[in-house]
């Protein structure tokens, strides 16, 4: 029996950062190792985007991921390598190649999963004051360290 359940519905494409230091060229294999060390079956994301824009597969695309609490059963997780500065502070470290690769990948996924919403991980934080959006002070974490909603609104 496989430990990876097949995903039955897909409502969200969730954008992440790996929270690895700016400029360090980690691979999907590195992230896989880190996630297994944390006790995951395998890498939690479905795709990794390297510094040079290469897209590497992570978890099989049709499997339930491990990247966003409460929504793993209905989302695909995509992470760019980076997201913190040398001191570990949240920072949008995306390279130009990563930005364009992310747009290409999201467009491709949208063809396979029409009607999905593209959100950043932090957009799943609880809206504590009920004003209809996640304010900066309500974010559980900064991931992916940029505002994914306006960034991909035109896709
Ligand atoms: Zn995340």
């Amino acid at each position: 029996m496989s430990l990876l359940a097949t995903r039955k519905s897909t409502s969200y494409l969730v954008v992440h950062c790996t929270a690895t230091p700016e400029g360090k060229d980690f691979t999907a294999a590195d992230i896989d190792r880190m996630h297994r060390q944390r006790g995951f079956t395998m890498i939690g994301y479905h795709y990794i985007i390297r510094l040079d824009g290469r897209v590497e597969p992570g978890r099989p695309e049709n499997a339930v991921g491990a990247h966003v609490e409460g929504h793993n059963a209905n989302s695909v997780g995509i992470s760019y390598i980076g997201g913190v500065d040398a001191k570990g502070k949240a920072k949008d470290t995306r390279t130009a190649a990563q930005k364009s690769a992310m747009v290409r990948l999201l467009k491709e996924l949208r063809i396979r999963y029409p009607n999905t919403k593209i959100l950043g991980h932090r957009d799943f934080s609880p809206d504590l004051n009920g004003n209809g959006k996640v304010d900066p002070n309500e974010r559980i974490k900064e991931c992916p360290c940029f505002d994914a909603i306006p960034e991909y609104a035109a896709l």
Side-chain angles (χ1 to χ4, degrees):
M1 187 192 95
S2 167
L3 291 167
L4 294 172
T6 301
R7 202 176 54 254
K8 294 189 179 67
S9 69
T10 307
S11 306
Y12 302 101
L13 306 178
V14 186
V15 177
H16 297 265
C17 64
T18 52
T20 50
E22 180 168 22
K24 299 264 190 198
D25 187 24
F26 289 103
T27 66
D30 294 323
I31 305 303
D32 183 49
R33 206 171 306 120
M34 292 175 195
H35 282 185
R36 285 173 198 262
Q37 277 165 6
R38 283 165 53 187
F40 292 19
T41 308
M42 66 179 295
I43 185 169
Y45 310 117
H46 298 92
Y47 291 100
I48 287 288
I49 301 180
R50 305 258 311 261
L51 298 186
D52 65 0
R54 250 179 294 175
V55 175
E56 295 186 334
R59 217 170 255 232
E61 193 183 293
N62 66 354
V64 172
H67 57 95
V68 55
E69 178 120 37
H71 288 282
N72 286 310
N74 66 351
S75 67
V76 175
I78 307 124
S79 187
Y80 73 93
I81 296 289
V84 298
D85 66 15
K87 291 185 173 139
K89 194 167 165 277
K91 181 183 177 186
D92 179 2
T93 65
R94 291 171 300 160
T95 63
Q98 285 179 309
K99 287 184 188 180
S100 51
M102 182 71 85
V103 167
R104 270 198 315 275
L105 178 58
L106 289 169
K107 282 181 174 169
E108 250 178 67
L109 289 167
R110 263 286 180 66
I111 293 168
R112 292 201 280 286
Y113 309 103
N115 308 317
T116 44
K117 271 198 185 127
I118 302 172
L119 296 176
H121 188 181
R122 69 189 189 187
D123 301 315
F124 289 87
S125 306
D127 173 18
L128 298 174
N129 65 7
N131 70 347
K133 61 188 175 83
V134 176
D135 298 306
N137 64 309
E138 293 171 337
R139 290 174 193 151
I140 288 170
K141 48 166 68 181
E142 286 300 312
C143 179
C145 304
F146 67 93
D147 202 347
I149 296 175
E151 179 102 9
Y152 304 120
L155 295 190

